[in-house]
């Protein structure tokens, strides 16, 4: 799971600090998740997915090429 998060971070040029800030998670939580390979809780994973504009279904997809949601799709998925 942490490999997928690292992959997303690399694709989006996102640092631990930026991910923490944009997901409203503590820097400690993000660093522990990335560096210690801790499995995130569902709410933490949901916050991470929201930062990258993907759903948890997309996160767990075997498809190597993740397709970002359009702004309209994000509004429906994340704010309903």
């Amino acid at each position: 799971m942490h490999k997928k998060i690292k992959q997303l971070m690399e694709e989006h040029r996102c640092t631990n600090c930026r991910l923490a800030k944009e997901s409203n998670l503590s820097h400690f939580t993000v660093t522990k998740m990335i560096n210690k390979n801790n499995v995130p809780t569902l709410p933490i994973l949901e916050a991470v997915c929201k930062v990258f504009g993907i759903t948890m279904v997309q996160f767990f997809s075997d498809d190597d090429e993740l397709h970002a949601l359009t702004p309209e799709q994000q509004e429906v998925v994340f704010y309903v």
Side-chain angles (χ1 to χ4, degrees):
M1 192 173 309
H2 72 282
K3 288 181 183 179
K4 185 77 140 208
I5 295 170
K6 283 184 176 183
Q7 173 193 351
L8 289 166
M9 289 175 70
E10 287 177 13
E11 289 173 6
H12 292 267
R13 296 183 180 161
C14 184
T15 63
N16 287 9
C17 190
R18 180 174 155 216
L19 180 58
K21 183 177 181 180
E22 292 185 17
S23 63
N24 292 320
L25 299 170
S26 72
H27 187 265
F28 175 78
T29 299
V30 171
T31 300
K32 192 173 173 186
M33 177 177 60
I34 300 299
N35 296 338
K36 304 281 187 188
N37 302 333
N38 285 8
V39 177
T41 63
L42 288 177
I44 289 173
L45 184 57
E46 186 175 39
V48 169
C49 288
K50 188 174 180 179
V51 169
F52 298 120
I54 62 171
T55 65
M56 291 204 313
V57 170
Q58 288 172 304
F59 180 86
F60 288 108
S61 172
D62 288 336
D63 187 3
D64 287 340
E65 192 171 313
L66 296 174
H67 302 284
L69 299 176
T70 66
E72 293 82 15
Q73 292 169 325
Q74 288 181 20
E75 188 173 325
V76 170
V77 171
F78 297 122
Y79 302 107
V80 172

